[in-house]
Amino acid sequence: MIVCLIFFSSCTKLISIQSFESESIEVKNDIDSLIYKMIIPYQTEIDKQMDQNLCYTKNDLLKGKPESTLGNFICDLSLETSNKQADVCVMNYGGLRSTISAGNITKRDIFKVMPFENELVILELNKLEFYQMLEYLTKRGGEPFSGMEINQKNDTILYSINNKDLLKEKYIRVLTTDYLANGGDKMSFFKNKKQNQLGIKLRDAIITYCASKDTININLDKRISLNE
Amino acid sequence: MSSRREFIKKTGLSTLGISLLGNSLLADNRLQRLTILHTNDMHSHIHPFQSGRNKGLGGMAQRSALIKNIREENKNVLLLDAGDIFQGTPYFNMYKGELEIKLMSQMNYDAATIGNHDLDNGLVGLKKQLKHANFPFLIANYNFENTILENTFSPYKIFDKNGIKVGVFGIGIELDGLVPKKLFGNTKYLDPIKISNKYAKLLKDKHKCDLVICLSHLGFKYKSQKISDLRLAKETKNIDLIIGGHTHTFLKKPVISKNLDDKNVIINQVGWGGINIGKIDFVFQQNNYKINLKKSSIFVKNK
């Protein structure tokens, strides 16, 4: 019986790894026409949707510092979307991935500007954290924001929040994306804050806003001025 | 036919390397080859990248052509995906993952695991797409009891590839903090190390698998102590290969780590977006015939 068992166990482990080789192959060139055929009807419908006109912009929506038409556009509409649940909105220059030329705005344009699935969230910053945020915005030479004015004069940063007397408030409600709220782009003053989710993706907010307008007219409005 | 020749030329170097190895070693019928093909974090990239540094790379029709070519040369192939199939292009926004899963089924994927983004439309969003899949999603450390996905997934699957027994199990990342609670509901996340040890042992000892593969969406490595593929390899036994995802890590070649038994664990991950396919060719020997070869002498041949 024992012999039998030993025989059995030595017999079951028949195969072991002798060697291996590996490579990471770049996917390109050849096309499987069967797969391609399966894609076409979906692609046709997507193209139709993506090329759909949402609204018309009079000016180019461009990236830039300290302020930009694209940055102002996105932050202003986001703050509007929050429906007064937030006082100010702060985004990041690097997160806006494309620009939009004057003329019709399509869904595809919005997907190019915002390919990420970032969600809108609201954080409550105390005054110290808020001031750290202002320092960050000036040090970075400006980042997209809305709902306030910033005026840097030598070592001082003057600011005013629209429709709000900061002296009376304990917290400032900042609208941003979950990406930045999780510490993206070194916005450390956002880290470990409770995130109140608005339940809408930034891209969807832009699309909804554009679809609700005929024409948009975005200009620079000197919301930030920095030391020379 | 010219496109086929083109393909052979493009991958000529490596194919040659393998066939040389194949000819000398595989002429001996006690040796067998098994090819593992793997992807991770394809993120709904149906088409090749249209701009940026990856311009012209990727695409599911292109991936399928590559896989078909490899399968023509070698019948012993396992095709695996380490999760985050969903999210990243309008295809997901509009079709909720339907096309991705249909194409993967058409390509004859053997198994996948669940990435955090595969729950971006909630448990219900994943459930709705499962009817398009002819391959299983394997997940061992999510407990879906009392959710709509209860009794839907197996923790592992065993494949018999021409006599080589391959056990594959799936490990997912902690969902809390990555996926909104309302989307994953009552899903419980179980300790990856404990669960991996449990299933790897089951596959190796009870089911006598010749190769145990962990399909992991934990991520390759972290600065913090967060559980990663590197940590999983070191702190477990009985896993031979970890196919990873989540961190979008482009490994030029697999990393070899030692497990708790001081045995080798191969860890690999191939970036994201379907830019690359990982290909690992194993040569197995039948031990009862061989005397001289050192046991489990895993080595990587540099190309």
Side-chain angles (χ1 to χ4, degrees):
Chain A
M1 186 64 195
I2 291 164
V3 175
C4 183
L5 267 178
I6 291 165
F7 172 72
F8 203 80
S9 68
S10 71
C11 204
T12 49
K13 190 72 188 166
L14 280 179
I15 303 171
S16 72
I17 301 165
Q18 160 61 17
S19 65
F20 84 90
E21 291 187 348
S22 70
E23 61 180 319
S24 181
I25 310 171
E26 273 191 348
V27 176
K28 55 185 175 186
N29 298 331
D30 278 14
I31 284 177
D32 179 343
S33 55
L34 188 67
I35 293 282
Y36 191 65
K37 272 179 200 152
M38 288 173 71
I39 296 171
I40 286 171
Y42 291 82
Q43 186 179 7
T44 310
E45 184 57 33
I46 294 242
D47 283 346
K48 209 168 92 189
Q49 289 256 349
M50 286 294 138
D51 294 334
Q52 184 192 327
N53 279 340
L54 297 172
C55 64
Y56 181 88
T57 171
K58 284 188 168 174
N59 307 319
D60 289 336
L61 300 177
L62 302 175
K63 287 178 66 167
K65 289 193 170 198
E67 64 167 327
S68 67
T69 42
L70 184 65
N72 292 356
F73 170 59
I74 294 201
C75 288
D76 289 352
L77 78 85
S78 296
L79 199 57
E80 196 177 313
T81 303
S82 83
N83 203 12
K84 294 184 181 160
Q85 293 178 75
D87 305 309
V88 299
C89 170
V90 172
M91 301 282 181
N92 67 327
Y93 176 90
L96 306 177
R97 308 300 290 185
S98 184
T99 57
I100 299 173
S101 304
N104 289 326
I105 302 180
T106 64
K107 230 181 206 179
R108 193 185 302 281
D109 294 327
I110 310 295
F111 268 85
K112 280 182 182 164
V113 167
M114 185 32 64
F116 309 118
E117 305 301 320
N118 296 344
E119 297 263 343
L120 289 176
V121 298
I122 296 168
L123 312 174
E124 288 187 340
L125 263 57
N126 63 33
K127 284 179 191 169
L128 177 66
E129 292 158 341
F130 180 72
Y131 201 75
Q132 287 171 340
M133 187 179 87
L134 293 177
E135 269 192 314
Y136 172 96
L137 292 176
T138 51
K139 264 187 193 158
R140 300 270 295 206
E143 292 281 341
F145 70 86
S146 176
M148 58 184 169
E149 280 181 32
I150 300 174
N151 189 359
Q152 187 185 30
K153 280 191 176 161
N154 300 320
D155 293 338
T156 325
I157 304 171
L158 302 170
Y159 57 91
S160 63
I161 299 178
N162 301 352
N163 314 319
K164 195 136 192 177
D165 182 357
L166 193 63
L167 289 172
K168 289 180 188 159
E169 304 293 334
K170 205 171 169 194
Y171 295 104
I172 295 93
R173 301 166 304 170
V174 181
L175 176 70
T176 187
T177 64
D178 56 347
Y179 168 76
L180 296 174
N182 290 326
D185 233 346
K186 296 180 185 153
M187 297 202 184
S188 51
F189 37 83
F190 284 161
K191 260 195 155 174
N192 304 319
K193 290 261 133 197
K194 186 174 177 280
Q195 299 178 14
N196 298 313
Q197 296 194 338
L198 226 58
I200 183 165
K201 285 176 184 167
L202 174 56
R203 184 178 54 233
D204 291 337
I206 305 170
I207 291 171
T208 306
Y209 179 85
C210 286
S212 73
K213 304 282 176 196
D214 286 332
T215 305
I216 54 169
N217 184 13
I218 307 290
N219 294 291
L220 299 182
D221 52 18
K222 298 203 170 82
R223 61 183 70 183
I224 181 167
S225 62
L226 299 173
N227 288 337
E228 288 293 304
Chain B
M1 265 347 296
S2 70
S3 58
R4 162 98 183 135
R5 208 170 298 131
E6 180 79 353
F7 166 76
I8 291 170
K9 217 189 325 177
K10 286 253 151 50
T11 57
L13 238 181
S14 43
T15 315
L16 189 69
I18 285 158
S19 52
L20 281 178
L21 174 86
N23 287 341
S24 54
L25 289 175
L26 295 175
D28 184 338
N29 61 10
R30 287 160 293 188
L31 295 171
Q32 277 212 48
R33 200 170 103 195
L34 171 72
T35 296
I36 308 294
L37 296 180
H38 62 94
T39 51
N40 57 275
D41 301 274
M42 67 176 80
H43 283 296
S44 302
H45 278 257
I46 307 289
H47 299 292
F49 282 75
Q50 283 171 10
S51 58
R53 73 189 137 175
N54 297 315
K55 190 174 177 179
L57 298 181
M60 290 186 82
Q62 288 78 356
R63 187 196 309 166
S64 182
L66 200 51
I67 291 165
K68 276 186 175 168
N69 274 317
I70 291 165
R71 280 196 170 123
E72 267 174 36
E73 286 164 21
N74 181 8
K75 285 191 181 66
N76 266 4
V77 173
L78 262 187
L79 176 58
L80 305 169
D81 184 86
D84 275 7
I85 295 164
F86 293 170
Q87 193 70 272
T89 70
Y91 281 91
F92 179 70
N93 304 99
M94 268 184 73
Y95 295 107
K96 319 289 179 201
E98 177 185 315
L99 184 59
E100 292 86 320
I101 300 288
K102 277 183 173 171
L103 297 181
M104 285 174 78
S105 297
Q106 180 63 36
M107 286 186 219
N108 289 312
Y109 265 81
D110 291 291
T113 192
I114 299 172
N116 47 300
H117 282 294
D118 298 320
L119 298 175
D120 277 0
N121 285 330
L123 300 179
V124 66
L126 178 59
K127 189 186 164 95
K128 271 185 191 161
Q129 301 311 327
L130 292 176
K131 63 174 178 283
H132 302 298
N134 66 0
F135 58 90
F137 281 84
L138 305 174
I139 184 82
N141 68 324
Y142 290 165
N143 180 344
F144 289 107
E145 258 173 56
N146 302 317
T147 76
I148 55 160
L149 289 176
E150 188 166 358
N151 300 322
T152 307
F153 304 111
S154 298
Y156 65 87
K157 184 171 174 179
I158 297 167
F159 299 88
D160 186 328
K161 286 283 167 184
N162 207 11
I164 304 167
K165 235 174 152 184
V166 186
V168 182
F169 69 98
I171 290 292
I173 193 166
E174 183 159 23
L175 297 170
D176 200 17
L178 271 182
V179 179
K181 173 88 175 83
K182 65 177 184 215
L183 293 180
F184 64 83
N186 289 325
T187 309
K188 283 190 190 71
Y189 165 81
L190 310 175
D191 178 17
I193 293 175
K194 243 188 234 172
I195 296 290
S196 295
N197 270 323
K198 176 182 160 185
Y199 285 103
K201 186 175 166 58
L202 181 86
L203 291 167
K204 202 96 204 212
D205 290 352
K206 190 179 168 213
H207 295 293
K208 308 288 177 201
C209 288
D210 304 306
L211 184 71
V212 172
I213 301 175
C214 173
L215 264 185
S216 154
H217 200 75
L218 293 175
F220 179 64
K221 71 171 176 189
Y222 299 101
K223 280 179 196 152
S224 67
Q225 272 304 294
K226 188 176 159 113
I227 181 72
S228 64
D229 293 339
L230 276 179
R231 261 193 67 198
L232 187 75
K234 286 191 178 77
E235 296 175 36
T236 55
K237 300 174 179 183
N238 296 312
I239 300 174
D240 297 302
L241 169 64
I242 300 174
I243 300 287
H246 188 64
T247 41
H248 297 193
T249 310
F250 283 95
L251 292 176
K252 283 207 178 81
K253 57 177 189 175
V255 171
I256 315 279
S257 178
K258 293 284 181 191
N259 73 7
L260 279 181
D261 284 335
D262 208 34
K263 285 183 180 160
N264 287 323
V265 184
I266 307 164
I267 308 166
N268 205 19
Q269 192 177 145
V270 288
W272 74 287
I275 293 164
N276 295 296
I277 294 184
K279 181 169 178 274
I280 304 175
D281 292 287
F282 287 97
V283 174
F284 289 84
Q285 65 166 87
Q286 300 202 356
N287 285 355
N288 54 343
Y289 289 108
K290 279 283 171 189
I291 303 145
N292 279 338
L293 292 170
K294 285 174 198 151
K295 58 174 180 175
S296 85
S297 55
I298 294 175
F299 61 87
V300 185
K301 264 202 174 172
N302 282 324
K303 294 262 151 55

